[in-house]
């Protein structure tokens, strides 16, 4: 046979029904004769038959054993690690994760979510800045599909995982203040999700408690939440008289480190830089990046475990699982020194 062999081909060659072949191939053929079982298995091996997953699900009236995972940007080290955590749990539970990366496009997010729902998956893990529970429920409709939300929007209802972003921002601010920094610059995106807003609020509030006020025009640089965004912020940072920079995430911080290096600015001797997330790249840039650690892998495994509990128990109560954050001090921060950064006008 030149074309792909189907279960119907095996059934026809064996002289039995499709259901008989399906049950034998799935270890449920004990009620059939040994001769029939051997004939089916021999034909499977002879023609290299591989079961079609969707057809198998329909024949056996079983769920597809798939979970859908929607993230803003799979190329981000943060979401790459998050998905790795989901995959670890899925592999252990013999589930297949379908990963969709929407490139931070709200329309694409809804399109991908609709596609996942149409594939009769068992559950969803959704990380979205813009998608509300009302939108998700509308797309799911009458289908009974459990889902877990990732921490982008604190106002969401339903089961979700999140971290204490307010405390994370506060930890970063207090650490810089304790080092002796009084003049600081913040890098942040134009559009802020709720968790990012909380992160910034924790930072600003803690500075205020220590008698330090940031001017939103002078001390806040707005660029995309990415390495190119951090790199693009370099000129604005160089024009300031700051001794320390708090970048909204590690990607921005790493982009800024490159920009500063190209201008001959020594970190942390002339300028301290602190990020947020603790992505794996922090250990491999120079200087190694001080940051606020989110347990990214644990967030992924936690989301997957919560989803599985909802899949296995449709009456499971809604949960909000919070994960701790912590300061990780490396080489990119130090007390302000007499050696000033050259100020560019």
């Amino acid at each position: 046979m030149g074309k792909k062999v189907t279960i119907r081909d095996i059934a026809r060659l064996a002289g039995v029904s499709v259901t008989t072949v399906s049950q034998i191939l799935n270890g449920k053929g004990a009620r059939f004769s040994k001769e029939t079982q051997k004939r089916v298995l021999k034909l499977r091996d002879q023609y290299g038959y591989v079961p079609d997953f969707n057809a198998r699900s329909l024949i056996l009236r079983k769920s597809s054993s798939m979970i859908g995972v929607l993230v803003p940007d799979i190329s981000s080290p943060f979401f790459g690690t998050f998905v790795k955590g989901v995959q670890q749990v899925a592999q252990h539970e013999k589930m297949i994760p379908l990963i969709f990366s929407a490139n931070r496009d709200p329309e694409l997010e809804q399109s991908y979510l609709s596609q996942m729902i149409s594939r009769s998956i068992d559950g969803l893990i959704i990380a979205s800045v813009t998608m509300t529970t009302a939108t998700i429920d509308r797309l799911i409709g009458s289908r009974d599909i459990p889902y877990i939300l990732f921490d982008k929007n604190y106002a969401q209802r339903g089961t979700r995982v999140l971290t204490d972003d307010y405390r994370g921002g506060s930890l970063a601010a207090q650490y810089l203040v304790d080092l002796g920094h009084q003049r600081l610059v913040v890098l942040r995106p134009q559009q802020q999700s709720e968790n990012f807003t909380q992160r910034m609020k924790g930072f600003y509030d803690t500075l205020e408690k220590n008698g330090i006020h940031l001017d939103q025009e002078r001390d806040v640089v707005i660029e995309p939440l990415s390495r190119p965004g951090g790199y693009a912020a370099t000129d604005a940072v160089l024009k300031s008289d700051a001794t320390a920079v708090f970048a909204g995430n590690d990607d921005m911080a790493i982009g800024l480190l490159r920009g500063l290096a190209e201008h001959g600015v020594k970190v942390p001797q002339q300028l301290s830089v602190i990020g947020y997330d603790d992505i794996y790249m922090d250990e491999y840039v120079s200087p190694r990046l001080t940051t606020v650690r989110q347990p990214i892998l644990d967030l992924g495994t936690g989301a997957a475990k919560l989803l599985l509990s909802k899949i296995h128990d449709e009456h499971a109560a809604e949960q909000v699982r919070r994960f701790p954050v912590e300061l990780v001090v490396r080489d990119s921060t130090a007390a302000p020194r007499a050696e000033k950064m050259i100020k560019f006008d």
Side-chain angles (χ1 to χ4, degrees):
M1 295 183 180
K3 64 177 184 178
K4 179 180 177 181
V5 176
T6 68
I7 193 170
R8 289 181 174 78
D9 294 326
I10 299 297
R12 177 175 55 79
L13 292 169
V16 297
S17 70
V18 170
T19 300
T20 297
V21 174
S22 178
Q23 291 183 351
I24 290 173
L25 294 183
N26 286 285
K28 299 180 180 180
R31 66 188 182 91
F32 302 108
S33 68
K34 295 291 185 183
E35 181 182 345
T36 298
Q37 293 182 55
K38 288 181 180 179
R39 187 162 68 251
V40 169
L41 294 174
K42 182 178 179 180
L43 286 166
R44 178 200 63 186
D45 296 339
Q46 179 180 346
Y47 291 101
Y49 169 71
V50 177
D52 181 274
F53 196 78
N54 292 326
R56 175 177 175 270
S57 298
L58 290 171
I59 292 168
L60 297 179
R61 302 281 199 269
K62 290 179 65 178
S63 67
S64 59
S65 297
M66 292 190 292
I67 56 175
V69 184
L70 178 63
V71 297
D73 182 6
I74 194 64
S75 68
S76 160
F78 180 96
F79 284 106
T81 302
F82 176 81
V83 167
K84 182 178 179 181
V86 173
Q87 289 177 318
Q88 286 182 358
V89 175
Q91 182 180 22
H92 183 267
E93 297 294 326
K94 303 296 190 290
M95 305 284 283
I96 299 174
L98 296 179
I99 314 300
F100 289 79
S101 177
N103 300 323
R104 304 184 187 277
D105 182 334
E107 291 186 6
L108 193 56
E109 283 184 343
Q110 293 195 35
S111 173
Y112 280 159
L113 184 58
S114 296
Q115 291 182 49
M116 286 190 282
I117 292 169
S118 70
R119 282 165 169 74
S120 301
I121 58 176
D122 293 280
L124 295 161
I125 295 174
I126 302 169
S128 169
V129 176
T130 61
M131 194 173 292
T132 65
T133 49
T135 301
I136 297 167
D137 290 340
R138 175 177 57 79
L139 292 172
I140 289 177
S142 61
R143 301 173 183 87
D144 186 18
I145 303 176
Y147 60 86
I148 302 295
L149 300 171
F150 187 43
D151 67 342
K152 294 300 177 185
N153 189 340
Y154 286 9
Q156 301 276 38
R157 58 184 171 81
T159 297
R160 58 197 188 277
V161 293
L162 50 82
T163 59
D164 191 344
D165 284 283
Y166 184 91
R167 172 170 167 75
S170 178
L171 285 173
Q174 192 61 57
Y175 170 66
L176 293 176
V177 170
D178 289 345
L179 284 176
H181 293 282
Q182 297 290 312
R183 284 288 297 114
L184 302 101
V185 167
V186 170
L187 308 187
R188 72 165 180 84
Q190 180 68 50
Q191 300 297 326
Q192 296 188 120
S193 57
E194 178 62 23
N195 70 318
F196 203 93
T197 298
Q198 289 295 319
R199 187 178 305 174
M200 292 294 107
K201 181 172 172 50
F203 190 81
Y204 298 147
D205 286 355
T206 301
L207 291 184
E208 292 283 353
K209 290 177 182 176
N210 285 275
I212 300 172
H213 175 71
L214 290 190
D215 183 283
Q216 291 296 311
E217 294 293 328
R218 182 193 64 197
D219 303 324
V220 177
V221 179
I222 297 175
E223 292 289 350
L225 199 64
S226 62
R227 288 187 291 278
Y231 182 77
T234 305
D235 286 346
V237 171
L238 291 174
K239 291 175 183 177
S240 74
D241 59 352
T243 60
V245 178
F246 174 47
N249 72 358
D250 289 344
D251 276 338
M252 290 189 92
I254 290 170
L256 176 63
L257 287 179
R258 176 188 165 186
L260 294 174
E262 289 180 358
H263 285 84
V265 175
K266 291 180 283 186
V267 177
Q269 293 89 336
Q270 294 171 290
L271 185 70
S272 287
V273 177
I274 182 171
Y276 200 105
D277 284 338
D278 196 31
I279 60 177
Y280 70 88
M281 294 175 65
D282 293 355
E283 286 279 3
Y284 298 95
V285 294
S286 181
R288 297 184 312 147
L289 185 64
T290 294
T291 189
V292 176
R293 173 182 291 160
Q294 297 196 76
I296 309 170
L297 192 72
D298 292 344
L299 285 166
T301 58
K305 288 176 180 177
L306 281 176
L307 180 60
L308 288 173
S309 69
K310 293 192 71 173
I311 291 172
H312 296 149
D313 180 8
E314 61 182 19
H315 301 297
E318 301 288 4
Q319 300 181 55
V320 177
R321 186 171 177 192
R322 301 176 185 273
F323 290 79
V325 295
E326 61 178 318
L327 180 69
V328 179
V329 178
R330 296 193 179 98
D331 306 327
S332 66
T333 48
R337 304 181 187 180
E339 185 177 2
K340 296 290 186 180
M341 180 178 69
I342 298 174
K343 187 173 180 180
F344 289 72
D345 296 321

